[in-house]
Amino acid sequence: MSVSKPFTVIIPARLASTRLPNKPLADIGGKPMIVRTAERAALSGAAQVIVATDHADILAACARHGIAARLTRADHPSGTDRIAEVAAALGLATDAVVVNVQGDEPMIEPELIAATAAQISGEVPMATAAHAIDSAADAFNPNVVKVVLNQAGRALYFSRATIPWHRDGFAPPFAPPRQDLPAAYVPLRHIGLYAYSNGFLQTYPTLAVSPLEQIEALEQLRVLWHGYPIAVHIAPAAPAVGVDTPEDLERVRRFFSAL
């Protein structure tokens, strides 16, 4: 697998989790979840994969399985800030590409990581991914983040609302989300995977929080608010769901036990 230039995957991993205590260390077929995620990320063709963590237990678990990891400050407000610390410590070049893979994605597609990394260029310092939504239930679900693109494939806006709004297709007697989507209407669901140039990754923590970000509770809106473009790779299908709940964890365990 190849991309236009080498890239580094950095996986932020906090031990604390409200819904699933000690989530990064949850056992999946004899290995911690964070190790499973790092192993999947390594299949993307990344030049290196490093876990960025706030806890010595995660550091030790990675060491036992031969996964590179670095201990970070514990007070980072987001995973993006955490990986920025590690990227700076690594001394990566300003134009180096860094991919932020969430630590609870043990089934992430390696091809998706590589394709998102390939979107970074001198003109576009940040990239993410999306896929087509095919159900009204998802289109109207505020927990499903939507994105609208311009003709160059760059993000115009991200929202929990149904965007773009199909004025005629959603006119009465349409009753969402109980009906099919209008014909030829294909909204896009945002996938929480990000790539950056290292220069922009170091700039991001210095950007002021935007009012749009606060209203929507979507961190990526800070980037658009400050005028930086975000390229969006369109995946051919929805990716495997990450682990947020005990039910998700059991599903992933069944997947690995069947391998």
Side-chain angles (χ1 to χ4, degrees):
M1 185 181 301
S2 62
V3 295
S4 55
K5 63 186 304 183
F7 61 94
T8 294
V9 170
I10 305 180
I11 306 172
R14 292 176 62 247
L15 189 65
S17 174
T18 55
R19 286 187 287 183
L20 198 58
N22 298 331
K23 181 166 67 169
L25 299 179
D27 181 81
I28 299 176
K31 295 180 180 179
M33 182 188 307
I34 189 63
V35 170
R36 291 289 188 186
T37 301
E39 289 176 341
R40 289 288 287 178
L43 299 176
S44 67
Q48 56 185 334
V49 176
I50 301 168
V51 171
T53 182
D54 66 342
H55 204 282
D57 286 354
I58 296 176
L59 198 71
C62 289
R64 285 194 297 271
H65 293 274
I67 302 297
R70 294 214 176 197
L71 198 62
T72 69
R73 290 175 13 219
D75 61 348
H76 284 302
S78 73
T80 310
D81 297 89
R82 193 174 306 282
I83 71 168
E85 178 188 338
V86 171
L90 291 172
L92 297 177
T94 299
D95 64 348
V97 177
V98 178
V99 183
N100 179 350
V101 173
Q102 298 303 306
D104 57 4
E105 298 279 356
M107 295 169 61
I108 191 168
E109 290 86 351
E111 296 81 5
L112 180 62
I113 297 172
T116 303
Q119 304 299 310
I120 300 299
S121 68
E123 295 74 37
V124 183
M126 180 171 170
T128 188
H131 69 87
I133 293 174
D134 59 8
S135 76
D138 282 346
F140 287 90
N141 184 350
N143 294 316
V144 173
V145 178
K146 276 71 69 174
V147 60
V148 172
L149 312 183
N150 66 11
Q151 63 178 352
R154 299 177 185 178
L156 289 171
Y157 192 67
F158 297 86
S159 182
R160 298 181 183 278
T162 307
I163 57 172
W165 182 258
H166 198 303
R167 187 198 66 172
D168 296 333
F170 296 153
F174 182 87
R178 295 187 298 273
Q179 297 186 10
D180 293 334
L181 292 173
Y185 173 70
V186 185
L188 296 173
R189 178 177 189 164
H190 176 235
I191 299 170
L193 173 71
Y194 299 100
Y196 320 81
S197 69
N198 185 42
F200 179 71
L201 180 59
Q202 301 307 318
T203 296
Y204 176 85
T206 71
L207 299 177
V209 175
S210 76
L212 292 177
E213 171 188 2
Q214 292 176 312
I215 291 169
E216 295 259 19
L218 296 175
E219 182 182 312
Q220 62 270 33
L221 288 173
R222 184 186 314 181
V223 178
L224 297 182
W225 173 267
H226 287 281
Y228 294 93
I230 301 176
V232 181
H233 165 70
I234 304 301
V241 178
V243 177
D244 288 322
T245 66
E247 293 76 19
D248 293 335
L249 179 57
E250 288 308 311
R251 185 187 66 253
V252 172
R253 283 172 170 166
R254 288 194 297 270
F255 171 82
F256 278 94
S257 68
L259 296 179

